[in-house]
Amino acid sequence: MNTASADFSRIRLAIHGGAGDLAPGAGPQPEHRAALQRIAATTKVLLMEGASALDAVEHAVLLLEECPLFNAGIGGVLNRDGLPELDAAIQRGSDRACGAVAGVMRSQSPVRLARAVMERSPHVFFSGPGAEQLGRELGLPEVEPAYFVTHERLVQLEAARRKGVITLDHDTDDSRVQQVAPDAAFGTVGAVARDVFGGLAAATSTGGLTNKHPGRIGDTPIVGAGTFADDRSVALSCTGTGESFIKACFGHEVHARMSYCGWDVAKATQNALDEVMHYGGRGGCIAIDHAGRIALPFNSYVMYRAWVDGDGLVQVAIE
Ligand code: ASP
């Protein structure tokens, strides 16, 4: 139980819209920058109004899911059969309460469904039709799978099928990830926050990989891999080659290095990313530690990100 009094100087926020390798000449990406700026700014206002870190990360990820520029919710990438299969997770740092869903295509907001799993079921992880059934029973809005499908994602799937590759969402170079196509990249979205009481939370949502085999699940909904929060150490959300982030046990590895070795968040996240590379993957993460320090490391060329540090300013960067 957090008995701290409210203090606005504790507020921190970071969001991401995926990592990858921008195509040469892709330009400064003004639309992506504007979306990240807007979503970080509205989430900061929520935190200033006293919202919990959990409410803040759910809000930010919900807005990112609704933004077709990123690989989550509307605009999520499509599997081999041309269907969205969406994964999401959320965790609160004070007690590690968490919820996750995988392979859903009818629940309007995967992150909202993940939160419902956390707060309104006795379980922590649901998949596919059972997850959707739970959402229906809890009265969450449902949509047809076509609701998530955009023209750009259909074109991307066709290109991946032609090349016979499985792609991550913003990439241009397939040399480092087996079967990953040239126009792939990781457009997954995520948020981490620290509220006025110092509480931490993390949430992540994704469509996964373009042309993935139906049923494939990445790191995003795996608490302790792509999503993790513990008030004693760190809240983090990952993007990248999910298989390698799972092998690296990314979230828990960072927590363990910080808790047992006394490493700071920058060193612990960088070390875990080195592990990801060791397992043949790449990508990045956004992380906020218990003292409000922010780390945003990535080993791909770009990571779409925005953050609010101790000065309260919203900053946006891609490279
Ligand atoms: N990590 C996600 C996955 O493997 C992909 C991404 O970050 O875009 O499903």
Side-chain angles (χ1 to χ4, degrees), residues 47-270:
L47 286 163
M48 301 284 294
E49 288 169 357
S52 67
L54 190 72
D55 284 342
V57 296
E58 183 193 10
H59 173 82
V61 170
L62 186 72
L63 294 181
L64 287 158
E65 285 177 345
E66 287 172 352
C67 178
L69 296 172
F70 302 109
N71 172 19
I74 299 171
V77 301
L78 305 174
N79 73 9
R80 198 180 68 179
D81 296 342
L83 290 170
E85 279 186 305
L86 308 171
D87 306 333
I90 190 164
Q91 185 164 40
R92 177 171 60 209
S94 58
D95 56 358
R96 288 208 193 173
C98 57
V101 294
V104 296
M105 58 180 86
R106 294 181 182 276
S107 204
Q108 188 174 11
S109 167
V111 73
R112 186 159 279 177
L113 182 57
R115 180 152 180 192
V117 168
M118 169 182 155
E119 291 181 333
R120 299 170 66 192
S121 92
H123 309 297
V124 297
F125 200 176
F126 280 75
S127 72
E132 289 163 349
Q133 187 184 335
L134 177 76
R136 212 168 300 130
E137 287 169 10
L138 296 177
L140 298 188
E142 277 206 301
V143 293
E144 287 301 314
Y147 171 83
F148 299 110
V149 179
T150 62
H151 173 70
E152 289 71 22
R153 296 309 188 194
L154 286 168
V155 171
Q156 204 176 29
L157 176 63
E158 254 334 289
R161 278 177 175 156
R162 265 198 314 276
K163 292 170 196 145
V165 291
I166 300 165
T167 77
L168 302 143
D169 184 39
H170 320 283
D171 274 353
T172 57
D173 179 353
D174 61 347
S175 59
R176 281 159 291 179
V177 184
Q178 202 186 7
Q179 287 193 309
V180 170
D183 57 353
F186 327 97
T188 289
V189 306
V192 290
R194 183 168 181 257
D195 59 34
V196 289
F197 299 105
L200 297 175
T204 317
S205 184
T206 190
L209 309 182
T210 301
N211 203 25
K212 65 186 179 183
H213 194 291
R216 179 266 181 190
I217 300 168
D219 60 314
T220 296
I222 299 184
V223 171
T227 306
F228 181 79
D230 186 322
D231 280 4
R232 298 166 300 177
S233 57
V234 68
L236 62 83
S237 166
C238 300
T239 173
T241 327
E243 286 70 11
S244 307
F245 281 78
I246 292 171
K247 289 174 191 168
C249 301
F250 194 96
H252 189 264
E253 181 70 16
V254 174
H255 165 78
R257 292 291 182 186
M258 293 178 69
S259 305
Y260 313 140
C261 305
W263 289 8
D264 65 37
V265 66
K267 184 174 173 186
T269 51
Q270 188 53 56

